[in-house]
Amino acid sequence: MGADWLVVFDCDGVLVDSERLNVRTWTGMMRDAGVDFTETDAVEAFVGKAYKDNRVTLTELTGAVPDPEWERAWRAEFARSQEELEPVTGAAEAVASVRELGLQVCVASGSLLAAIGTKLERTGFDGFFPEGVRFSAEQVEHGKPAPDVFLLAAREMGYPPERCIVVEDSRAGIEAAVAAGMPVVGYRSDMTPSGWMEGASAVVDDMADLPSVLTRLTGLG
């Protein structure tokens, strides 16, 4: 039965099209800190990881612990940019179809729980993913590419890792899923660098293809 499987969705870049907004802000943040930085650099350095880990990277790249007031201003800019947030094209329809297959769903993200809630509500996903099925890197010791948040989701939802399928768009997320012992479907967008999908059990370029891929991987077809 479908309910014997859990589909674990990443949030940023899979459900909500926030990565390009975040990349724009990270790039501006780094340039403001005096670092010659491109959007490509930002994708490689920051996408798919928890803010607490990105803060370590920020310190390494700038050579200094961020000034609290400066960092606070830029975190406000991250929040402001989310006012432009839109869902990933086809993601809502894909999640609805996945649920119609009888598969259980949840979200496991590097974002803070409050941010996950805001993003899901702003893009209309909160009905698919109520509070009890949202998991954040802030709840575990290590963010992606460590498997902690995916293992937390599996444990709390009552599924063994081998009965979970992760949907991810980042290299860190795919590595985390593989480390958790979970099959992973990579979502490849126009922002995806070459090589990021290595380790994925399957790759989709269009969210409309996700239900059929999950049907195959779970043996429901």
Side-chain angles (χ1 to χ4, degrees):
M1 293 178 61
D4 291 338
W5 287 89
L6 172 68
V7 182
V8 185
F9 286 87
D10 178 39
C11 183
D12 297 283
V14 169
L15 298 175
V16 302
D17 195 14
S18 53
E19 297 291 25
R20 65 189 71 249
L21 302 176
N22 293 336
V23 163
R24 184 181 69 193
T25 306
W26 277 116
T27 304
M29 192 177 188
M30 294 301 298
R31 289 175 178 171
D32 191 44
V35 179
D36 185 16
F37 214 68
T38 66
E39 290 195 350
T40 299
D41 294 330
V43 170
E44 291 286 355
F46 298 118
V47 166
K49 301 170 187 175
Y51 185 85
K52 63 182 179 181
D53 297 321
N54 282 339
R55 192 174 186 277
V56 173
T57 301
L58 175 66
T59 299
E60 292 172 348
L61 290 172
T62 60
V65 175
D67 174 77
E69 287 300 321
W70 178 84
E71 187 177 13
R72 190 173 298 115
W74 275 102
R75 292 197 70 168
E77 178 60 22
F78 274 106
R80 190 210 61 75
S81 74
Q82 300 307 304
E83 295 173 6
E84 305 172 39
L85 191 61
E86 298 286 344
V88 167
T89 301
E93 295 82 359
V95 174
S97 296
V98 169
R99 295 178 75 207
E100 287 171 5
L101 290 172
L103 299 166
Q104 179 65 272
V105 298
C106 71
V107 170
S109 171
S111 293
L112 300 176
L113 278 170
I116 295 170
T118 298
K119 292 170 186 177
L120 295 178
E121 289 159 18
R122 187 163 283 155
T123 52
F125 284 103
D126 49 325
F128 290 134
F129 302 99
E131 289 188 10
V133 299
R134 303 172 187 172
F135 304 97
S136 163
E138 72 174 302
Q139 297 172 284
V140 295
E141 184 175 358
H142 302 291
K144 305 170 188 177
D148 300 25
V149 71
F150 290 143
L151 293 174
L152 170 69
R155 184 169 65 251
E156 292 296 316
M157 297 293 293
Y159 289 80
E162 63 271 17
R163 302 297 286 186
C164 301
I165 298 180
V166 174
V167 184
E168 263 286 356
D169 69 310
S170 72
R171 177 169 56 194
I174 290 173
E175 290 177 356
V178 171
M182 301 176 181
V184 55
V185 178
Y187 171 60
R188 182 167 48 201
S189 74
D190 59 352
M191 291 184 62
T192 306
S194 175
W196 269 29
M197 298 289 103
E198 290 180 11
S201 304
V203 176
V204 297
D205 299 300
D206 186 334
M207 275 294 172
D209 297 327
L210 181 63
S212 62
V213 169
L214 291 174
T215 296
R216 175 173 58 81
L217 291 176
T218 57
L220 291 176

